[in-house]
């Protein structure tokens, strides 16, 4: 007989867990498939609240010593326990629903094979209202409950969220739907069939007729399998019969694409969950029509999206509409909702700082320098960073040249305890289904999603436990933000949205008209970083100056520093003394240093000036494209080494930049692109050289004046 599933119900005080459990008990008990656990609590049985068994502390201790409890925990001065007899219920094939503390989820996951966490949530203001209505806590106790953040659900545990922010009846509907969506467990078998990229799962027509439930063709399901790094999930469409005819009882067949996406071994057991129809469809339609939604409406809509209840075409239409029509109030609503949907880290720190850059400027790898300076000063900086998507390197790619970046939450916390900072890949820590979907839509179509990004970025920073965030907004002809007006407008939106979710945000508009530093590509950019940290005479001055500027702004948040000017002076002293270099070494060691850092590739080609003149423009996007063609960021030793700067006088044949390539073929492709022999046609002209010195001076002066304006306005923003 197939064993039952243990549903652990968790959620903050005031979320309404007891009401939902009581409602589900009335609806599901008649089916005799669900058992609702009765807790033992050191509180009188007649006390208001849930139906429980009240015992004295002495009796509770006696039972615990006798092994009568499956699990016990303490909360709010009381002891709680679940009877060990629930194991027998599970073995008999019945499902168990129990209200537990999230502190025991990890413990139960180690002793129960089939376990699902249902996390009940609600908006903070609604939680406060419900707690006050109970009348059991004083006002100060209520506030403590509201600010208390529980432990995140372990990555190795299946979980599902239920919003209980509407009426009781609707909340019960959602809760029961969540329980019944888990349809059992099955053994997977790869059928070696291709489905054209659309994930497909095949059910036998015989198995599909089992009661409950019956599967219908076209229905969407979620398959989840246990993996070495947590639960892997894939959504797929149901096919009944046909290729599934050869399946044995309890087996499901996966197309080759579905099998590879799930990443589980042949014959593995997976949980099968039906994806219910979205309840927020009317809201999605309203947004597609251009209407504004409020926070509660976005909460319902985004919950359905992250649970996979929408088809790709519906999601695409919504995301396109969101890029074209998103008010400031909606950005704030999205940021609040996304924060509430995330598992938030907590730190025993007065100030926790973070940094983000809108990017678009090759090089400009100031983050490792800034993090080292901040850590050397003593502030906590758990920096989460991205890998490159369209550029030649992301901060995580650069850090990965010397250390591990795929850190778990626990490893991030350890690194901060040991080194005061880390530089970790955000894909493992705060991965977003919403952002994956948005990127898949906006990048191929070239849509501007910067306003959506404000909500995404700040909600992730809030979820990571940051209290203070600095944002770099590079502006220039080759940057993502082309105009001064767009950059200043976005800076104001960042700061206002940050304040709305309880963050101190400082957004600075910076010069994005040219690359910063010399290296473009992971190993080459790290070389520049180390040159700055080692105080070498040949360190890129622009990279050093920008890093000191941002570090100074961050250190100004320390009351003992107080101003950006003093912060920069403190940062400069930490750099010159070697304290920042030592801090970087501690961070690398804490994250896990590689035995041998990656070096820039020795397979090179130097691109030279075709005529005498002055460098008056460097196209960073073209250089980044050449670096990617050379192999970056996948090959960390590939990239571009800039050998000139804007304003340099060059002669015919003088070196402009050096290409470092992964393979002879990639080097040949780069050379062909630069020389115009590439299939794309025109030569890739990354360096603009003016033949006349006065002309070059005029262009350079105009660009410098514009850059100065952006920087000054950014300081006042």
């Amino acid at each position: 007989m197939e064993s039952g599933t243990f549903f652990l119900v968790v959620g903050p005080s005031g979320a309404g867990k007891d009401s939902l459990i009581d409602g589900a008990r009335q609806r599901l008990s008649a089916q005799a498939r669900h058992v609702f656990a009765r807790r033992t609590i050191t509180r009188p049985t007649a006390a208001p609240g849930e139906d429980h068994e009240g015992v004295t502390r002495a009796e509770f201790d006696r039972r615990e010593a006798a092994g009568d409890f499956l699990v016990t925990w303490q909360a709010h001065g009381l002891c709680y326990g679940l009877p060990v007899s629930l194991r027998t219920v599970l073995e008999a094939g019945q499902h168990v629903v129990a209200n537990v503390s999230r502190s025991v989820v990890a413990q139960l996951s180690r002793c129960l094979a089939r376990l699902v966490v249902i996390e009940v949530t609600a908006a903070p203001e609604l939680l406060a209202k419900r707690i006050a209505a109970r009348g059991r806590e004083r006002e100060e106790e209520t506030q403590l409950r509201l600010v208390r953040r529980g432990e995140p659900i372990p990555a190795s545990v299946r979980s599902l969220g239920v919003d209980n922010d509407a009426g009781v009846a609707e909340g019960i509907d959602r809760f029961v739907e969540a329980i019944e969506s888990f349809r059992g467990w099955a053994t997977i078998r790869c059928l070696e069939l291709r489905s054209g990229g659309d994930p497909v799962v095949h059910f036998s027509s015989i198995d599909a007729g089992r009661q409950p439930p019956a599967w219908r063709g076209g229905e969407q399901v979620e398959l989840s399998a246990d993996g070495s790094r947590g639960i892997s999930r894939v959504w797929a469409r149901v096919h009944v019969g046909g290729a599934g005819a050869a399946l044995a009882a309890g087996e499901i067949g996966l197309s080759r694409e579905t099998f590879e996406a799930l990443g589980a071994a042949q014959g593995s057991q997976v949980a099968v969950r039906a994806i219910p129809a979205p309840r927020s469809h009317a809201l999605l339609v309203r947004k597609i029509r251009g209407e504004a939604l409020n926070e509660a409406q976005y909460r319902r809509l985004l919950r359905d999206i992250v649970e996979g209840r929408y088809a790709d075409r519906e999601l695409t239409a919504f995301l396109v509409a969101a890029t074209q029509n998103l008010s400031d109030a909606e950005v704030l609503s999205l940021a609040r909702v996304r924060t509430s949907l995330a598992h938030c880290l907590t730190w025993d720190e007065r100030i926790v700082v973070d940094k983000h850059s809108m990017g678009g400027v090759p090089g400009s790898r100031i983050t490792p320098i800034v993090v080292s300076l901040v850590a050397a000063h003593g502030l906590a900086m758990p920096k989460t960073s991205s890998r490159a998507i369209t550029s030649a390197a992301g901060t995580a790619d650069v850090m990965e040249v010397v250390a591990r970046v795929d850190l778990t939450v626990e490893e991030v916390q350890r690194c901060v305890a040991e080194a005061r900072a880390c530089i970790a890949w955000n894909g493992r820590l705060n991965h977003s289904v919403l952002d994956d979907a948005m990127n898949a839509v906006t990048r191929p179509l070239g849509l501007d999603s910067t306003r959506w990004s404000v909500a995404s970025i700040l909600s992730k920073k809030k979820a990571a436990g940051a209290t203070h965030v600095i944002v770099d907004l590079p502006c220039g002809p080759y940057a993502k933000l082309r105009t001064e007006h767009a950059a200043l407008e976005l800076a104001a939106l960042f700061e206002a949205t940050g304040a709305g979710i309880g963050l101190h945000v400082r957004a600075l508009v910076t010069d994005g008209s040219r690359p910063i530093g010399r290296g473009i590509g992971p190993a080459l950019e790290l070389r520049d970083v180390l040159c700055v940290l080692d105080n070498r005479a040949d360190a890129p001055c622009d990279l050093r100056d920008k890093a000191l500027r941002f570090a100074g702004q961050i250190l100004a948040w320390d009351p003992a520093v107080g101003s950006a000017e003093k912060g920069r002076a403190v940062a400069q002293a930490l750099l010159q003394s070697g304290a920042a270099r030592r801090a970087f070494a501690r961070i690398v060691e804490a994250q896990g240093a590689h035995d041998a850092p990656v070096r820039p590739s020795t397979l090179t080609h130097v691109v030279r000036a075709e005529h005498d003149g002055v460098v008056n423009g460097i196209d960073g996007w073209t250089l980044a494209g050449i670096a990617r063609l050379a192999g970056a960021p996948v090959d960390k030793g590939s990239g571009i080494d800039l050998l000139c700067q804007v304003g340099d006088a060059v002669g015919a044949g003088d070196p402009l930049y050096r290409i470092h390539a992964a393979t002879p073929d990639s080097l040949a492709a780069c050379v062909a692109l630069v020389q115009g022999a590439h299939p794309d046609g025109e030569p890739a002209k990354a360096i603009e050289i003016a033949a006349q010195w006065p002309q070059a001076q005029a262009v350079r002066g105009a660009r410098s004046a514009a850059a100065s304006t952006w920087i000054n306005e950014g300081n006042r923003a």
Side-chain angles (χ1 to χ4, degrees):
M1 177 181 294
E2 184 177 285
S3 63
T5 299
F6 204 123
F7 293 97
L8 304 180
V9 185
V10 304
S13 295
K17 300 184 295 294
D18 290 335
S19 297
L20 300 190
I21 290 173
D22 288 343
R25 181 187 293 111
Q26 295 176 22
R27 294 194 189 181
L28 298 175
S29 293
Q31 301 174 12
R33 292 189 295 113
H34 297 83
V35 171
F36 290 79
R38 189 167 185 252
R39 302 191 296 184
T40 300
I41 310 176
T42 55
R43 184 171 64 201
T45 303
E50 68 172 292
D51 176 29
H52 66 280
E53 180 187 8
V55 297
T56 64
R57 178 59 186 266
E59 174 63 13
F60 189 96
D61 291 343
R62 185 194 68 76
R63 292 191 189 183
E64 186 173 25
D68 291 347
F69 294 123
L70 175 65
V71 66
T72 63
W73 67 94
Q74 295 185 16
H76 318 306
L78 300 173
C79 297
Y80 296 75
L82 292 178
V84 73
S85 58
L86 293 175
R87 279 187 180 276
T88 305
V89 174
L90 293 169
E91 291 167 359
Q94 291 180 292
H95 308 304
V96 173
V97 181
N99 182 355
V100 304
S101 165
R102 63 175 65 235
S103 65
V104 300
V105 170
Q107 177 185 346
L108 285 171
S109 70
R110 291 189 291 269
C111 64
L112 297 173
R114 298 182 173 180
L115 179 146
V116 173
V117 172
I118 297 181
E119 186 168 16
V120 180
T121 61
E125 57 271 17
L126 191 54
L127 296 177
K129 182 178 179 180
R130 289 172 178 169
I131 293 173
R134 297 191 307 204
R136 295 208 303 254
E137 292 91 356
R138 298 189 303 273
E139 183 176 352
E140 57 269 24
E141 293 175 327
T142 297
Q143 292 305 314
L144 286 174
R145 282 181 179 266
L146 290 174
V147 300
R148 185 185 298 121
R149 294 184 183 272
E151 301 173 19
I153 306 300
S156 58
V157 175
R158 290 169 178 81
S159 63
L160 185 65
V162 172
D163 280 334
N164 187 23
D165 53 5
V168 175
E170 184 172 343
I172 294 170
D173 286 343
R174 295 176 184 177
F175 186 68
V176 171
E177 181 182 71
I179 293 174
E180 292 191 321
S181 70
F182 283 89
R183 302 280 192 89
W185 303 71
T187 302
I188 61 171
R189 177 176 160 193
C190 182
L191 295 179
E192 297 298 343
L193 297 173
R194 294 286 177 179
S195 54
D198 183 24
V200 169
V201 56
H202 296 268
F203 285 82
S204 165
S205 57
I206 298 174
D207 258 15
R210 291 189 308 169
Q211 292 294 333
W215 291 104
R216 301 182 305 277
E219 195 169 1
Q220 188 169 347
V221 298
E222 179 193 73
L223 308 176
S224 57
D226 298 320
S228 59
R229 295 197 171 216
I231 302 295
S232 62
R233 295 176 173 84
V234 68
W235 295 325
R237 293 287 173 187
V238 171
H239 283 200
V240 177
L247 295 171
E251 270 190 335
I252 58 174
L254 308 186
S255 66
R256 167 54 64 177
E257 292 93 336
T258 311
F259 182 78
E260 291 175 351
L262 187 60
Q266 185 86 280
S268 298
Q269 284 273 298
V270 299
V272 184
R273 185 174 75 88
I275 304 296
R279 295 175 175 271
S280 59
H281 190 266
L283 299 176
L284 180 135
V285 171
R286 286 177 56 183
K287 189 61 198 173
I288 292 173
R289 290 174 178 168
E291 298 179 36
L293 303 180
N294 62 32
E295 184 175 338
Q297 291 166 335
Y298 271 119
R299 183 182 301 277
R300 294 171 61 189
L301 179 55
L302 265 59
R303 172 66 76 184
D304 282 347
I305 290 174
V306 299
E307 290 178 4
R309 299 190 182 202
Y310 283 104
D312 289 346
R313 62 183 181 277
E314 295 171 310
L315 185 54
T316 297
F318 163 72
L319 294 175
V320 169
T323 64
Q324 297 173 335
N325 185 3
L326 205 62
S327 68
D328 289 4
E330 286 181 287
V331 172
L332 177 56
S333 293
L334 281 168
R336 285 175 172 166
V337 172
R338 292 183 60 134
T339 301
S340 71
L341 294 177
H343 292 301
C344 297
L345 291 178
T346 56
W347 302 92
D348 187 18
E349 303 278 352
R350 180 172 48 89
I351 296 175
V352 178
V353 301
D354 209 333
K355 170 191 169 291
H356 181 82
S357 173
M358 291 301 288
V361 179
S364 193
R365 197 56 56 202
I366 67 169
T367 294
I369 305 170
V370 171
V371 171
S372 301
L373 289 165
V374 172
H377 179 71
L379 294 181
M381 192 168 184
K383 178 74 181 78
T384 58
S385 302
S386 62
R387 298 187 188 276
I389 299 175
T390 58
S391 64
T395 298
D397 299 309
V398 173
M399 189 64 180
E400 200 169 31
V401 172
V402 289
R404 282 186 56 226
V405 296
D406 60 334
L407 306 182
T408 64
V409 169
E410 293 76 17
E411 287 170 332
V412 166
Q413 293 170 327
R414 176 183 54 76
C415 287
V416 172
E418 295 176 2
R420 299 302 291 152
C422 69
I423 303 173
W425 175 48
N426 59 18
R428 190 170 180 188
L429 296 168
N430 47 22
H431 174 259
S432 169
V433 174
L434 279 171
D435 290 338
D436 285 349
M438 175 60 86
N439 293 338
V441 171
T442 57
R443 289 200 174 103
L445 297 178
L447 298 175
D448 180 8
S449 60
T450 51
R451 295 180 68 80
W452 175 279
S453 296
V454 171
S456 169
I457 291 161
L458 294 182
S459 63
K460 288 179 179 179
K461 299 305 183 187
K462 183 73 171 179
T467 60
H468 296 68
V469 179
I470 194 162
V471 181
D472 180 11
L473 301 177
C475 175
Y478 306 117
K480 290 181 181 178
L481 299 169
R482 301 296 177 89
T483 68
E484 175 186 355
H485 175 75
L488 293 173
E489 184 180 70
L490 195 64
L493 182 60
F494 261 111
E495 294 183 355
T497 304
I501 62 172
L503 288 175
H504 298 274
V505 176
R506 183 82 168 93
L508 300 179
V509 179
T510 60
D511 180 9
S513 63
R514 66 195 73 177
I516 293 178
R518 294 192 301 268
I520 302 173
L524 291 160
E525 292 180 30
L526 181 70
R527 177 207 61 191
D528 288 355
V529 166
L530 295 180
C531 283
V532 172
L533 289 174
D534 288 334
N535 292 293
R536 286 179 47 170
D538 60 346
C541 294
D542 53 357
L543 184 68
R544 179 180 183 274
D545 289 345
K546 185 173 182 179
L548 286 172
R549 179 188 178 199
F550 274 77
Q553 292 282 347
I554 291 173
L555 297 185
W557 281 320
D558 182 353
V561 176
S563 71
E565 293 76 15
K566 186 175 179 181
R568 183 180 178 113
V570 171
Q572 190 159 342
L574 292 169
L575 182 62
Q576 292 174 344
S577 70
R581 182 65 174 90
R582 292 190 294 274
F584 182 74
R586 287 193 295 272
I587 294 168
V588 169
E589 187 65 28
Q591 291 187 203
H594 296 324
D595 293 336
V598 178
R599 303 293 182 188
S601 170
T602 56
L603 192 61
T604 64
H605 173 80
V606 176
V607 177
R608 301 180 182 275
E610 296 178 354
H611 55 80
D612 297 349
V614 175
V615 176
N616 70 358
I618 299 178
D619 184 342
W621 279 111
T622 297
L623 285 175
I626 297 171
R628 288 180 69 88
L629 186 60
V634 176
D635 180 77
K636 290 185 168 44
S638 299
I640 298 291
D641 200 4
L642 269 175
L643 305 176
C644 65
Q645 294 181 344
V646 173
D648 287 352
V650 296
D654 284 353
L656 300 177
Y657 60 91
R658 182 185 296 111
I659 303 171
H660 295 255
T663 66
D665 287 345
S666 59
L667 183 62
C670 291
V671 173
L673 180 63
V674 172
Q675 295 178 349
H678 192 271
D680 288 345
E682 290 295 319
K685 293 294 185 183
I687 309 294
E688 180 186 349
I689 300 175
Q692 300 293 325
W693 172 259
Q695 176 188 349
Q697 280 290 80
V699 172
R700 183 186 181 200
R703 287 180 176 170
S704 297
S708 176
T709 298
W710 295 329
I711 292 172
N712 291 335
E713 290 292 346
N715 280 330
R716 292 196 294 268

